[in-house]
Amino acid sequence: MRELEYPFDSEYILKKSKKIKRELLEKGEQLLTKKIAVLGGSTTHDIIRVLELFLLNQGIRPEFYESEYGQFWQDAMFPNEELENFSPDLIFIHTSNRNITKYPAMTDTTGQIEELLQEQFGHFEVMWDKLEETYHCPVIQNNFEYPFYRILGNQDAVDIHGRMHFINRLNDRFYQYASEHENFYINDMNYMAAAYGLDRWADPLYWHMYKYAMCMQAIPEFAFNLSNIIKAIFGKNKKSLVLDLDNTLWGGIVGDDGVENLEIGQETSMGQVYSEFQTYVKAQRDLGVMLNVDSKNEFDNAKAGLEHPDGILKPDDFILIKANWEPKSKNILDIAGELNILPDSLVFVDDNPAEREIVRTQVPGVAVPEIGTPEQYIRVLDHSGFFEVTRLSEDDRKRNDMYKANLERQKQQENFGDYREYLLSLEMKGTIRPFEQIYMARIAQLTNKSNQFNLTTRRYTQSEIENFAADDRYITLYGKLEDKFGDNGVVSVVIGRKGTVDDIPAYREMGTAADTAGEKNVLHLELWLMSCRVLKRDMEFAMMDGVVEACRKCGITTIMGYYYPTAKNAMVKKFYESQGFVLQEETKEGISIWKFTIPDEYVLQNTVIAVNG
């Protein structure tokens, strides 16, 4: 919804929240339902009201638990039947500098201030540990914003007695904790307050009148930033920037002005602006954001512009360069198709408002930000949070190279008439093993990102993934794949629960069926997913072989598979049939149950990937 895209009108959102919510729900889109507990050290009702809008717009239907005013610590630390029954998927702790109970006094010694620092930090640390022990779900914690006054003036940040100095040290402790706990995230309220303007943000009127940690007008900014962390945790990030060239990556039109007259580099003020933007985009690539070009240009002119000696971005930084005279909306669809991702994974950046509107209307789902003037490009993209980083894995860093290697594989395929000969020519090597700690973050990330090849579309946090791995009632497998073009990393995940033939879970209640008496000789597949970048490479057959092998070791003779249809996973509707399963039941909603009886003489289905050496 345009009204919820950055930059947005905060006053409009606050006034029209009911109307916006109604319109979002009337769209009828399939939404991911998540339970979010908000534990507040100040008034949180309006934050929840606005946060809901942004999450609905990002494809998440939230259900909220809200603590009583100021009861965040008590709710976390003491038995709480209501919160326990709510069983949150995520906990957000909304505290501010108003919840620091004591600051250094001017008479305190260095030792006393150290004790006070540990006391204030320990108050939070014990709470976080308790939440992890009790709920095993992601926790988002605000850091502390600066106070709205400096008792020591500019020395407040320097002197150990200053409040700014104390807050900086407390925040550092928070960051250290976050770096050591993979399911713990910082909501950077300090940055938001600074970006908004601390004097306006911390207007004391709103605290003393309403117990708001910020002014009312700042709530949408705050809620939007928080929503970006939540949608990233639950796999709703975008994957790729699709960039125009002329007057977007450089000033001028390369076909008319010539490469030598483009504004890029340090010679002019506007050239510096475009260089800074290219530097920002290049940094996004290094984080795993895929870069592509969609430009109305002759290809040779586009390439010449990207080879400008003062340019930061070069042709090799892009996976696909669509420089032609086709409609940009067509190029966008072609890029999505060639990368084998959905259009809603793309962010289209173009200085031309007419082109933006065409793409917005012709390719639903693509993010099309109103980027403003060149000086605003970075701010708009950065504040939009399309690629919010929660954890940065090695696979993320290598993503552009992985997809470029996929294009090389596609080119090689054209040289073969026999598809199996082509697959053998890739010299593929697979690793299929039970979940291992080193890959837990990547496995959790995959469960929250993969949509097209995901049979049950279950989403799991890292804590849940770790619990499955440690629980002998489950069989867990991950699959890695590499070939002569490169390493694809972890690309497939299977989670199966041991049970009996009568232990079929209720529809949409996967994993909740009670165990029945009898021998556990059935495996119920609660999750089977695969990254689309390795489609049609027979990795799914290698994983099936791995599942059968794991079952045999446990004495399991039957495998039950489940397919839950979504708007995005139609491609795997008949997947189990291709693996030799027999359809048992199918509802009018398209939910299907499949059965595979492991034969005494099971024939390996994978014949092209060398698995585990």
Side-chain angles (χ1 to χ4, degrees):
M1 179 180 283
R2 292 283 294 277
E3 291 86 349
L4 297 174
E5 295 173 4
Y6 188 87
F8 43 74
D9 184 339
S10 293
E11 294 282 1
Y12 178 83
I13 292 172
L14 289 167
K15 291 178 181 177
K16 301 292 185 180
S17 62
K18 290 184 179 179
K19 174 178 178 290
I20 294 171
K21 179 180 177 179
R22 184 170 61 253
E23 290 177 358
L24 286 167
L25 294 175
E26 286 174 352
K27 284 184 176 181
E29 295 180 358
Q30 194 167 44
L31 301 171
L32 180 65
T33 300
K34 289 295 176 181
K35 296 179 179 180
I36 300 173
V38 178
L39 310 185
S42 59
T43 303
T44 56
H45 177 72
D46 285 307
I47 289 173
I48 289 173
R49 171 169 66 98
V50 179
L51 176 62
E52 181 179 26
L53 304 181
F54 288 118
L55 290 176
L56 286 171
N57 194 51
Q58 292 162 338
I60 299 171
R61 183 195 299 272
E63 298 175 2
F64 290 104
Y65 167 91
E66 182 179 15
S67 69
E68 296 292 334
Y69 165 75
Q71 297 296 300
F72 70 96
W73 200 82
Q74 290 84 344
D75 268 11
M77 293 301 297
F78 302 118
N80 186 330
E81 185 176 353
E82 183 182 357
L83 181 56
E84 290 170 5
N85 290 338
F86 181 71
S87 187
D89 297 306
L90 180 144
I91 297 172
F92 166 55
I93 305 170
H94 178 57
T95 49
S96 70
N97 63 33
R98 297 283 187 176
N99 299 112
I100 298 174
T101 56
K102 188 178 180 182
Y103 287 97
M106 293 302 166
T107 56
D108 284 347
T109 65
T110 299
Q112 288 173 323
I113 292 174
E114 288 297 326
E115 290 179 5
L116 178 60
L117 180 69
Q118 181 55 40
E119 174 190 315
Q120 294 294 314
F121 172 70
H123 183 70
F124 285 89
E125 182 182 32
V126 69
M127 173 182 65
W128 301 331
D129 290 344
K130 181 69 172 180
L131 289 172
E132 166 60 25
E133 176 188 334
T134 306
Y135 298 104
H136 307 291
C137 70
V139 173
I140 301 175
Q141 167 72 57
N142 290 343
N143 61 2
F144 295 116
E145 78 282 29
Y146 287 142
F148 69 94
Y149 63 88
R150 301 177 297 173
I151 201 73
L152 294 173
N154 290 290
Q155 278 293 107
D156 212 67
V158 180
D159 192 287
I160 61 171
H161 302 90
R163 291 192 171 197
M164 286 185 66
H165 186 276
F166 191 71
I167 283 174
N168 280 332
R169 295 188 66 193
L170 258 181
N171 281 341
D172 283 342
R173 294 286 189 95
F174 279 35
Y175 306 151
Q176 182 65 30
Y177 186 94
S179 70
E180 295 169 354
H181 295 78
E182 292 188 332
N183 233 15
F184 182 86
Y185 307 90
I186 293 294
N187 183 41
D188 195 353
M189 188 161 76
N190 197 26
Y191 174 83
M192 282 181 280
Y196 190 84
L198 187 56
D199 284 343
R200 289 184 298 145
W201 177 281
D203 187 341
L205 170 70
Y206 289 92
W207 174 257
H208 295 297
M209 287 289 290
Y210 311 109
K211 292 298 183 283
Y212 287 154
M214 67 206 71
C215 69
M216 172 71 82
Q217 296 76 15
I219 286 176
E221 299 268 358
F222 178 88
F224 180 67
N225 186 80
L226 176 60
S227 75
N228 285 330
I229 302 174
I230 296 172
K231 59 92 174 169
I233 290 173
F234 293 128
K236 294 293 185 176
N237 264 356
K238 303 296 184 183
K239 297 179 180 178
S240 170
L241 278 170
V242 180
L243 298 138
D244 175 46
L245 296 177
D246 294 330
N247 292 314
T248 299
L249 288 187
W250 54 65
I253 300 173
V254 64
D256 295 340
D257 303 327
V259 175
E260 66 280 5
N261 294 314
L262 296 179
E263 285 201 273
I264 186 73
Q266 302 304 308
E267 299 303 318
T268 67
S269 60
M270 285 307 299
Q272 293 172 22
V273 169
Y274 285 109
S275 289
E276 188 172 44
F277 181 55
Q278 286 202 18
T279 300
Y280 175 81
V281 172
K282 179 94 168 184
Q284 294 293 323
R285 181 194 187 280
D286 295 339
L287 293 174
V289 177
M290 295 183 285
L291 304 186
N292 300 281
V293 167
D294 185 359
S295 172
K296 286 187 175 177
N297 249 311
E298 296 294 337
F299 181 83
D300 290 343
N301 287 337
K303 187 177 180 184
L306 289 170
E307 290 172 341
H308 192 289
D310 293 330
I312 308 299
L313 292 166
K314 302 301 181 184
D316 283 347
D317 290 317
F318 297 90
I319 299 175
L320 293 168
I321 298 176
K322 298 291 185 182
N324 51 44
W325 300 103
E326 297 285 353
K328 291 191 176 183
S329 54
K330 179 182 182 302
N331 283 336
I332 286 273
L333 291 171
D334 289 345
I335 288 171
E338 291 179 45
L339 295 179
N340 206 5
I341 60 178
L342 296 172
D344 63 8
S345 298
L346 306 176
V347 179
F348 177 61
V349 180
D350 195 313
D351 69 294
N352 188 325
E355 296 287 5
R356 292 198 298 267
E357 188 60 26
I358 290 171
V359 169
R360 187 180 286 118
T361 56
Q362 295 297 314
V363 193
V366 174
V368 187
E370 293 296 312
I371 57 174
T373 62
E375 297 88 348
Q376 298 171 320
Y377 290 175
I378 292 177
R379 178 178 62 82
V380 171
L381 285 179
D382 200 62
H383 285 21
S384 293
F386 295 122
F387 310 106
E388 181 77 30
V389 175
T390 49
R391 289 289 180 263
L392 191 61
S393 69
E394 190 60 29
D395 281 357
D396 291 326
R397 296 186 181 95
K398 298 188 298 184
R399 184 172 291 114
N400 276 271
D401 293 335
M402 290 177 178
Y403 276 86
K404 289 179 78 171
N406 255 357
L407 295 179
E408 292 299 316
R409 295 181 187 100
Q410 292 173 20
K411 290 179 183 177
Q412 176 152 327
Q413 181 182 344
E414 297 172 0
N415 299 323
F416 287 84
D418 182 87
Y419 189 69
R420 185 171 184 276
E421 287 184 10
Y422 157 68
L423 290 179
L424 289 170
S425 77
L426 295 178
E427 301 170 13
M428 291 184 287
K429 299 176 183 178
T431 299
I432 299 175
R433 294 180 54 81
F435 290 176
E436 297 174 309
Q437 187 61 44
I438 190 174
Y439 297 121
M440 293 299 186
R442 170 58 179 164
I443 292 168
Q445 185 185 58
L446 261 182
T447 70
N448 283 292
K449 284 187 174 182
S450 298
N451 292 305
Q452 297 181 77
F453 195 114
N454 191 332
L455 278 299
T456 58
T457 65
R458 294 280 290 174
R459 313 293 186 183
Y460 296 113
T461 65
Q462 185 169 335
S463 292
E464 290 172 315
I465 292 295
E466 292 169 349
N467 290 339
F468 287 133
D471 191 335
D472 61 8
R473 294 175 300 175
Y474 286 85
I475 288 176
T476 65
L477 293 175
Y478 74 86
K480 290 186 65 183
L481 185 65
E482 61 179 298
D483 59 30
K484 67 181 182 182
F485 290 106
D487 187 354
N488 291 281
V490 176
V491 293
S492 190
V493 177
V494 173
I495 297 175
R497 177 177 51 81
K498 301 172 185 176
T500 69
V501 70
D502 299 319
D503 190 20
I504 295 176
Y507 297 126
R508 296 293 179 189
E509 296 291 333
M510 186 67 71
T512 63
D515 286 337
T516 57
E519 184 181 357
K520 301 293 189 295
N521 61 350
V522 176
L523 186 73
H524 298 276
L525 294 174
E526 298 192 351
L527 181 76
W528 189 327
L529 63 83
M530 192 169 73
S531 170
C532 289
R533 67 172 178 259
V534 296
L535 285 178
K536 300 180 180 179
R537 304 261 297 280
D538 279 16
M539 188 61 182
E540 61 271 34
F541 295 111
M543 290 297 290
M544 180 64 184
D545 294 343
V547 171
V548 170
E549 180 182 359
C551 286
R552 282 180 157 174
K553 289 179 180 179
C554 299
I556 290 172
T557 57
T558 303
I559 304 172
M560 301 298 296
Y562 306 89
Y563 168 69
Y564 295 133
T566 71
K568 297 179 179 179
N569 73 348
M571 65 177 296
V572 292
K573 182 177 181 179
K574 299 294 184 181
F575 169 75
Y576 283 120
E577 182 177 339
S578 71
Q579 298 293 324
F581 285 68
V582 177
L583 179 65
Q584 303 297 295
E585 183 180 349
E586 184 171 7
T587 71
K588 62 181 180 181
E589 293 84 9
I591 300 171
S592 54
I593 299 175
W594 301 77
K595 182 178 180 180
F596 181 82
T597 302
I598 301 176
D600 293 336
E601 300 295 329
Y602 175 79
V603 178
L604 293 177
Q605 299 196 48
N606 158 53
T607 62
V608 296
I609 302 172
V611 177
N612 297 341

